[in-house]
Amino acid sequence: NAGVTQTPKFQVLKTGQSMTLQCAQDMNHEYMSWYRQDPGMGLRLIHYSVGAGITDQGEVPNGYNVSRSTTEDFPLRLLSAAPSQTSVYFCASREDIGETQYFGPGTRLLVL
Amino acid sequence: AQKITQTQPGMFVQEKEAVTLDCTYDTSDPSYGLFWYKQPSSGEMIFLIYQGSYDQQNATEGRYSLNFQKARKSANLVISASQLGDSAMYFCAMREETYDNYGQNFVFGPGTRLSVLP
């Protein structure tokens, strides 16, 4: 099993550009989440999904969109990148609501 | 209100000694889980240990143990026989059993940076 994979590992964007951060898991987990990690603030939840076709907002959803067409994939879209979105983004998955969450390796995003 | 508090931004420990990383939490949910994750300089988040709110015994995983004091709402991580490779950020996290808000029930503390000295 590859676990949770994320691409790209690093990305530089200009303000106003859009892009999609990819996340995939091969563990057949229903629950998937996107977090951003900023210095001194731990991880904050952006969006999450409890299964294919079902998504909802987390703590900091503004400027991001998600969709979940398959169990395996949970892409995060930045609609119009802003410098405030410079961060490290983690995708995570878990089998059920009560289970341990496993993280991907992260995507480091720099918005100029 | 902050649900997870880690009051030690940074800690130093001598190699081979034990170290305790503090974590306090706030919840009114009777059923919850507590986690510790390690984040080395390479950036990945590594799951270390889990403690359920109804578990009678403190969780242990190799050199990691969780000192769970339910009445005090604390879940400190104890690392025994520290190694240089233990130098990393450590995050405490809590999962609440709020089934009406499935995804938002996993919250993290700000982290503690541990440095192991040779």
Side-chain angles (χ1 to χ4, degrees):
Chain A
N1 283 356
V4 182
T5 59
Q6 291 183 238
T7 56
K9 290 186 178 180
F10 181 72
Q11 183 72 46
V12 180
L13 291 178
K14 294 182 179 178
T15 297
Q17 287 184 316
S18 63
M19 79 159 294
T20 299
L21 280 63
Q22 301 291 344
C23 174
Q25 51 91 10
D26 61 358
M27 298 173 282
N28 203 32
H29 287 175
E30 290 294 330
Y31 293 81
M32 296 186 73
S33 305
W34 274 103
Y35 294 87
R36 60 178 288 172
Q37 182 179 26
D38 301 301
M41 300 188 73
L43 278 74
R44 293 183 293 167
L45 182 66
I46 304 171
H47 284 285
Y48 65 96
S49 170
V50 299
I54 307 170
T55 64
D56 206 345
Q57 297 179 349
E59 181 186 355
V60 287
N62 291 341
Y64 308 95
N65 269 358
V66 292
S67 61
R68 184 99 179 269
S69 56
T70 66
T71 299
E72 294 77 21
D73 300 299
F74 189 42
L76 177 73
R77 280 181 285 278
L78 278 69
L79 308 173
S80 177
S84 61
Q85 293 179 304
T86 293
S87 188
V88 180
Y89 291 85
F90 286 97
C91 179
S93 77
R94 50 181 156 155
E95 185 174 359
D96 198 351
I97 187 173
E99 297 299 318
T100 299
Q101 203 159 209
Y102 294 95
F103 287 83
T107 294
R108 188 173 295 273
L109 177 67
L110 175 62
V111 182
L112 302 175
Chain B
Q2 205 165 24
K3 291 204 169 185
I4 299 285
T5 302
Q6 294 180 255
T7 57
Q8 308 152 313
M11 288 278 287
F12 291 90
V13 65
Q14 208 68 38
E15 193 178 7
K16 300 180 184 177
E17 292 185 350
V19 63
T20 298
L21 306 184
D22 294 341
C23 172
T24 58
Y25 59 92
D26 182 26
T27 182
S28 57
D29 198 325
S31 179
Y32 53 90
L34 297 156
F35 303 79
W36 278 91
Y37 287 84
K38 172 184 178 182
Q39 186 178 44
S41 57
S42 52
E44 71 268 33
M45 295 287 286
I46 303 168
F47 165 71
L48 294 178
I49 196 167
Y50 163 78
Q51 178 86 41
S53 59
Y54 293 118
D55 293 343
Q56 295 295 319
Q57 293 190 322
N58 288 344
T60 60
E61 290 286 348
R63 294 186 298 110
Y64 304 108
S65 61
L66 200 152
N67 184 1
F68 181 45
Q69 298 186 44
K70 194 170 184 177
R72 297 180 61 185
K73 294 189 175 179
S74 75
N76 299 338
L77 177 70
V78 180
I79 305 174
S80 63
S82 297
Q83 302 172 356
L84 296 178
D86 294 334
S87 294
M89 281 289 287
Y90 289 82
F91 292 95
C92 180
M94 176 176 66
R95 180 207 71 223
E96 295 172 294
E97 301 292 346
T98 50
Y99 283 90
D100 61 340
N101 199 2
Y102 301 105
Q104 300 214 48
N105 68 344
F106 213 107
V107 293
F108 288 82
T112 295
R113 182 171 298 280
L114 177 66
S115 298
V116 180
L117 305 174

